[in-house]
């Protein structure tokens, strides 16, 4: 039975297989996360270490007068940390669908099982790392005397909105990144340096070209909203925030449906030795 034949089932059979996939994904996640951090002395610290290093460098540059972010609604260190951690959350969620298929390549073409299980297992890890990063932000808010229940809930919504947005875009692109290695490398390059095209370190003013590019970044409204809500201020970009959340949810649903539909084709290409 080929992958395409196995996928031709009644809705009830597909629902039952999806339920099995969810159970299998949880077992895969438990084994993966345990093996990943069991031999690491610092453990979950590595989830926030890159953002902490970037934040420290940005603070030193600001104190030395190298950068001029202008007035910020939060202490500058917290301002940068929220932006960099949120971008990191988005970037990792963006790579979840591709990495799920890539890491399972050795057995994906040999064993038939619910394909969504490997994506869900990777997604669980992304949700866990997001929770660790959120705990860091909330602790900093407490130490900076900016913590409020409403603000904390708003920051949580923004971070998990970034997960949805990244997952949706990544799932929509996964068939192409699996088939064309150059596209995946281009995407990695854009994600690596795309941080500098967001308001992570500054809030561009005016209506110049750079300000328009930053505003067009789909993650920018979530960064701005997270800072506004953390500072207990009204949203400065409510429409952009709503579009980012709604678009992220819609993209995640559409992307996962597309991923399920094209998985047999991608796996057949793997069987043929292609990408």
């Amino acid at each position: 039975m080929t992958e395409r034949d196995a996928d031709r089932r009644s809705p009830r059979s597909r629902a039952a297989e999806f339920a099995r996939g969810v159970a299998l994904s949880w077992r895969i996640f438990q084994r993966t996360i345990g093996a990943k951090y069991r031999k690491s002395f610092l453990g979950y610290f590595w989830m926030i270490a890159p953002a902490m290093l970037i934040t420290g460098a940005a603070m030193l540059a600001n104190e030395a007068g190298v950068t001029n972010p202008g007035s910020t609604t939060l202490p500058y260190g917290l301002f940068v940390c929220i932006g960099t951690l949120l971008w990191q959350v988005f970037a990792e969620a963006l790579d979840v669908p591709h990495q799920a298929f890539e890491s399972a390549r050795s057995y994906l073409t040999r064993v038939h099982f619910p394909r969504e299980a490997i994506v869900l297992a990777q997604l669980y890890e992304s949700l866990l790392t997001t929770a660790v990063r959120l705990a860091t932000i909330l602790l900093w808010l407490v130490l900076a005397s900016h913590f409020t229940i409403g603000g904390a809930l708003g920051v949580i919504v923004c971070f998990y909105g970034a997960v949805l947005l990244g997952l949706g875009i990544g799932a929509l692109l996964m068939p192409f990144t699996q088939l064309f290695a150059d596209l995946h490398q281009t995407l990695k390059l854009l994600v690596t340096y795309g941080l500098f095209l967001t308001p992570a370190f500054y809030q561009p003013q005016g209506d110049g070209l750079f300000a328009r590019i930053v505003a067009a970044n789909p993650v920018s409204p979530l960064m701005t909203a997270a800072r506004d809500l953390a500072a207990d201020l009204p949203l400065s970009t409510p429409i952009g925030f709503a579009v980012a959340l709604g678009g992220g949810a819609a993209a995640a649903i559409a992307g996962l449906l597309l991923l399920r539909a094209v998985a047999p084709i991608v796996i057949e290409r793997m069987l043929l030795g292609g990408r």
Side-chain angles (χ1 to χ4, degrees):
M1 180 182 293
T2 66
E3 283 286 335
R4 296 188 191 187
D5 293 333
D7 198 51
R8 293 177 186 139
R9 298 183 177 88
S10 66
R12 181 176 298 179
S13 297
R14 291 182 179 181
E17 184 177 11
F18 179 77
R20 290 195 297 272
V22 172
L24 176 60
S25 68
W26 183 250
R27 292 197 296 272
I28 294 173
F29 164 72
Q30 288 179 312
R31 294 188 178 186
T32 301
I33 201 70
K36 188 171 183 179
Y37 293 106
R38 187 181 299 120
K39 296 180 181 180
S40 175
F41 179 73
L42 295 178
Y44 298 133
F45 170 74
W46 296 115
M47 297 179 185
I48 61 172
M52 293 296 102
L53 291 174
I54 292 173
T55 299
M59 292 175 66
L60 290 174
N62 183 48
E63 290 179 3
V66 176
T67 59
N68 182 21
S71 61
T72 59
T73 56
L74 294 168
Y76 185 63
L78 181 56
F79 178 91
V80 173
C81 191
I82 289 176
T84 52
L85 281 177
L86 197 144
W87 179 260
Q88 195 174 359
V89 164
F90 166 78
E92 289 188 1
L94 183 70
D95 205 34
V96 160
H98 179 87
Q99 285 301 324
F101 275 75
E102 195 65 29
S103 62
R105 179 180 287 268
S106 61
Y107 59 87
L108 195 60
T109 58
R110 295 178 176 85
V111 182
H112 179 74
F113 60 93
R115 305 310 183 188
E116 54 270 16
I118 55 175
V119 178
L120 290 175
Q122 289 275 349
L123 178 60
Y124 297 155
E125 183 175 349
S126 182
L127 295 176
L128 174 62
T129 57
T130 301
V132 172
R133 290 158 182 157
L134 273 169
T136 303
I137 294 298
L138 297 181
L139 177 61
W140 199 330
L141 286 172
V142 170
L143 296 176
S145 301
H146 280 281
F147 182 86
T148 62
I149 298 298
L153 292 176
V155 172
I156 291 171
V157 169
C158 292
F159 269 71
Y160 283 108
V163 172
L164 279 179
L165 184 62
L167 177 67
I169 296 175
L172 291 172
L173 293 177
M174 187 281 297
F176 308 102
T177 58
Q178 279 292 331
L179 297 176
F180 306 105
D182 288 341
L183 178 59
H184 183 241
Q185 293 300 322
T186 301
L187 187 63
K188 287 174 62 177
L189 188 66
L190 291 175
V191 167
T192 300
Y193 296 102
L195 177 63
F196 299 103
L197 298 178
T198 69
F201 309 107
Y202 33 68
Q203 190 67 51
Q205 303 296 323
D207 194 33
L209 176 61
F210 183 71
R212 290 198 296 270
I213 292 174
V214 170
N217 191 309
V219 186
S220 295
L222 295 174
M223 284 189 187
T224 303
R227 290 161 176 159
D228 290 340
L229 293 167
D232 202 21
L233 296 173
L235 292 175
S236 55
T237 57
I239 296 177
F241 176 60
V243 169
L245 285 182
I253 294 171
L256 290 175
L257 290 175
L258 175 67
L259 186 150
R260 182 177 178 83
V262 304
I265 300 173
V266 173
I267 293 170
E268 284 185 10
R269 288 294 301 268
M270 290 180 178
L271 283 169
L272 294 173
R275 294 194 63 86

